[in-house]
């Protein structure tokens, strides 16, 4: 298997539209960082790989729908 670099470039979803509300992700220092694409120097959410998996599973299964209002 190919080694994953310690830091990867920021990635945005392929379906993102230019100028739309998007988040970007990258691997950095053993975590996954998430940032707002419109504020690249702003705050970042840092999750472990396991934390990101749990968060994505919750979003897919509807566990976070109550946060939408």
């Amino acid at each position: 298997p190919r080694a994953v670099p310690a830091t990867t470039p920021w990635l945005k979803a392929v379906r993102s539209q230019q100028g739309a509300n998007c988040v970007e992700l990258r691997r950095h220092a053993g975590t996954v960082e998430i940032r707002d694409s419109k504020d690249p120097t702003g705050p970042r959410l840092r999750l472990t790989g396991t934390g990101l998996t749990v968060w994505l599973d919750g979003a897919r299964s509807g566990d976070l729908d109550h946060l939408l209002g």
Side-chain angles (χ1 to χ4, degrees):
R2 195 169 55 138
V4 177
T7 299
T8 62
W10 288 101
L11 302 172
K12 193 182 324 184
V14 175
R15 293 185 181 178
S16 296
Q17 297 177 3
Q18 191 67 22
N21 294 327
C22 303
V23 295
E24 297 174 317
L25 291 90
R26 76 172 179 172
R27 177 181 209 90
H28 179 71
T31 65
V32 177
E33 293 186 328
I34 304 168
R35 71 178 182 185
D36 181 345
S37 63
K38 289 184 178 179
D39 187 12
T41 60
R44 298 170 184 180
L45 175 64
R46 289 183 178 95
L47 299 171
T48 63
T50 301
L52 179 63
T53 299
V54 170
W55 184 74
L56 290 172
D57 287 347
R60 287 185 192 116
S61 68
D63 289 347
L64 307 175
D65 289 356
H66 67 284
L67 299 173
L68 300 174

